[in-house]
Amino acid sequence: MQTVTVPLGERSYDVRIGKGILSRTGQHAAALGGARAAAVITDDQVAPLYLQTVTGSLQAAGLQTFSRVLPHGEQTKSLSSLSSLYAFLAESGIQRSDLIIALGGGVIGDLAGFAAATWLRGIRLIQLPTSLLAQVDSSVGGKVAVDMPFGKNMVGAFHQPSLVLCDPTVLDTLPETFWRDGLGEVVKYGCIMDEPLFSLLEEQAASGRPGIMQVMDTVLSSCIQDKADVVARDEHDTGLRMILNFGHTLGHAIETCQHYEGLTHGCAVAVGMQIITELSEARSLTEPGTAARLRRLLEQLSLPHTLPPIQESLLLQAMQMDKKNLNASLHLVILERIGTSHLLHSDPGFFAGMTQAS
Ligand code: GLY
C-alpha cells in the first residue's frame, strides 16, 4: 500500500492506494474512530460490482451500514438527487459523528461529497473512487458540487474528505471511454508539473492500456502527490490550483458547444491542452517542440488532439460566457515546457485562429 498525505493542518488526510483496498474499507473507516454507522452512496453501474464488498467490510468492522443506489450519469448530480439523499440520511438516522462514503466516479463523489458538506452542517466523508478520473483528480482536494440548469458545478463547497481509498484493480472493469477520460487528466499532470510522469507515459504508451496498467501504481501515486502538493499550497483555488485547469478553457467550450454529448471531459481537455500549446508555442511562450511531443503522446494513448467540427466563433462565445459567469478574467495555463507551467491573464482572443492551428 502507498500513502499520499494531503497536508492541511488539522484537516490533513491520507489517500491510500493499494490493490484490493476496497475490501478493507471497514478497517480503514473504523480506524478513523467515533462512527456508529456509514451511509454508502453509489450508482447503478458500480453497485453490482463493489457495493457488497464495501458494505460487507464495513459491517465486519462493526459499523452499521445504509446504502443508496442512484442512476448513473451526470444528470444525477442535481439538486433533486441531493434532496433525495437528505431524506435517505434522515431515514437512516445518520448523525454528525457518522460517515458518508462515496463509492463511484466523479458524479457520485461530487454529489455525496456535497451531501456530506451540508448534512447536519458537515459530516465526515470517505471517497472510494472507482474511475481513473475520480482517482487522479476529483476525489482529492475537497471540491464537491451539484450542477444547476445554468451551469455545471455551480453550487458546491470545499469539503475535504477524511480518507480516500484508491484501488487500482477497479480500473480492470472500466469501460474504454472512461479509461480515456481519465487518461486526459493523467497527461495533464505530466504536462503542468511532472516531467518524469510524462516520460513514463511515453515509455509505456506503445504497449497500450496494458502497458499503462503495468505502472498504474506509480501513475496514481504521482498524480495524487502532484494534486496534494497543489491543494496544500492553494486549497481554495485562488492562485496556484488554477494550473490544474490546463486545457480546460477550450475543453469546457468544446463540451458546452457539444451540449455535453460529444467528447468526454478528459478528451475535450486533451484537445484543449494540444491547441493551447500549439498557440503558445507559435507565440514563443513555450519551448519549441513541446506541442509535437504532446501530440505524439496523445496519439499513442488514442486521445483526440484536433478540434471537432465546431465554428470558431461558437467556441469563443462559449469561452466568453464561461468567463462572464465564473471569472472576472480568464487565467490561461501555459506550458513553458513539458513539466513546467504558469498562469497567464488573458482573454478568449488568445484562441483566435485556433481552427487554423489544429
Ligand atoms: N479538478 C481541479 C481541482 O480540483 O482544482
Side-chain angles (χ1 to χ4, degrees):
M1 183 179 79
Q2 299 183 68
T3 299
V4 176
T5 300
V6 184
L8 291 168
E10 286 179 358
R11 291 173 299 111
S12 295
Y13 58 95
D14 282 353
V15 183
R16 299 189 189 134
I17 306 156
K19 293 189 172 69
I21 202 166
L22 271 191
S23 61
R24 299 187 290 281
T25 302
Q27 76 192 55
H28 291 281
L32 292 175
R36 172 200 56 91
V40 183
I41 298 165
T42 189
D43 72 31
D44 55 5
Q45 285 186 329
V46 173
L49 299 171
Y50 308 116
L51 182 57
Q52 183 65 51
T53 305
V54 169
T55 53
S57 162
L58 290 162
Q59 287 158 10
L63 287 153
Q64 196 179 359
T65 61
F66 301 91
S67 44
R68 180 66 187 247
V69 180
L70 296 165
H72 66 277
E74 190 71 29
Q75 284 186 338
T76 285
K77 219 173 102 177
S78 65
L79 275 183
S80 65
S81 305
L82 184 66
S83 175
S84 80
L85 282 185
Y86 292 144
F88 155 69
L89 295 169
E91 283 155 20
S92 311
I94 294 298
Q95 299 169 5
R96 199 175 268 161
S97 56
D98 292 332
L99 300 165
I100 288 183
I101 299 189
L103 170 66
V107 166
I108 289 296
D110 282 10
L111 175 70
F114 191 50
T118 46
W119 179 246
L120 303 177
R121 298 196 175 86
I123 75 169
R124 289 175 298 172
L125 167 71
I126 298 180
Q127 291 273 12
L128 304 181
T130 59
S131 70
L132 181 56
L133 189 135
Q135 292 189 338
V136 298
D137 188 27
S138 57
S139 66
V140 179
K143 283 188 181 175
V144 294
V146 292
D147 297 337
M148 299 297 286
F150 40 85
K152 284 184 79 175
N153 298 324
M154 288 298 273
V155 175
F158 288 96
H159 183 67
Q160 299 294 341
S162 298
L163 181 65
V164 183
L165 301 179
C166 212
D167 188 340
T169 59
V170 304
L171 302 177
D172 294 339
T173 54
L174 197 65
E176 191 60 25
T177 314
F178 293 105
W179 169 256
R180 281 209 285 270
D181 192 30
L183 268 189
E185 296 282 350
V186 170
V187 172
K188 177 193 80 178
Y189 288 105
C191 287
I192 58 173
M193 63 192 292
D194 196 338
E195 204 277 339
L197 171 64
F198 196 95
S199 296
L200 180 67
L201 295 171
E202 287 177 319
E203 281 161 26
Q204 298 299 121
S207 321
R209 185 166 168 172
I212 304 290
M213 277 308 285
Q214 265 172 19
V215 294
M216 189 44 84
D217 285 7
T218 309
V219 168
L220 291 177
S221 58
S222 302
C223 294
I224 293 165
Q225 186 65 61
D226 292 339
K227 181 139 191 194
D229 290 345
V230 170
V231 169
R233 289 165 63 193
D234 178 23
E235 182 182 0
H236 292 114
D237 205 9
T238 54
L240 177 71
R241 188 164 176 171
M242 292 182 207
I243 65 166
L244 298 177
N245 287 335
F246 177 50
H248 283 56
T249 303
L250 178 55
H252 281 157
I254 294 170
E255 287 183 277
T256 305
C257 290
Q258 294 186 326
H259 309 287
Y260 297 94
E261 287 167 0
L263 293 179
T264 61
H265 175 72
C267 287
V269 165
V271 175
M273 294 192 293
Q274 181 61 37
I275 301 294
I276 195 168
T277 304
E278 286 175 14
L279 292 170
S280 64
E281 198 173 307
R283 284 164 205 189
S284 304
L285 299 170
T286 299
E287 197 172 274
T290 306
R293 190 176 168 194
L294 176 55
R295 190 183 324 109
R296 266 195 307 277
L297 180 61
L298 295 175
E299 265 167 12
Q300 281 187 306
L301 295 173
S302 306
L303 287 170
H305 50 82
T306 56
L307 279 169
I310 305 171
Q311 274 177 31
E312 182 169 308
S313 58
L314 294 178
L315 290 167
L316 292 174
Q317 208 175 42
M319 282 184 219
Q320 191 64 39
M321 282 309 291
D322 214 25
K323 177 167 105 83
K324 260 198 213 137
N325 285 341
L326 303 172
N327 291 305
S329 71
L330 194 62
H331 297 92
L332 295 179
V333 185
I334 302 291
L335 298 189
E336 284 157 38
R337 64 189 71 81
I338 296 295
T340 311
S341 55
H342 66 262
L343 293 174
L344 177 76
H345 294 249
S346 187
D347 57 57
F350 186 91
F351 290 91
M354 67 182 139
T355 42
Q356 275 82 51
S358 68

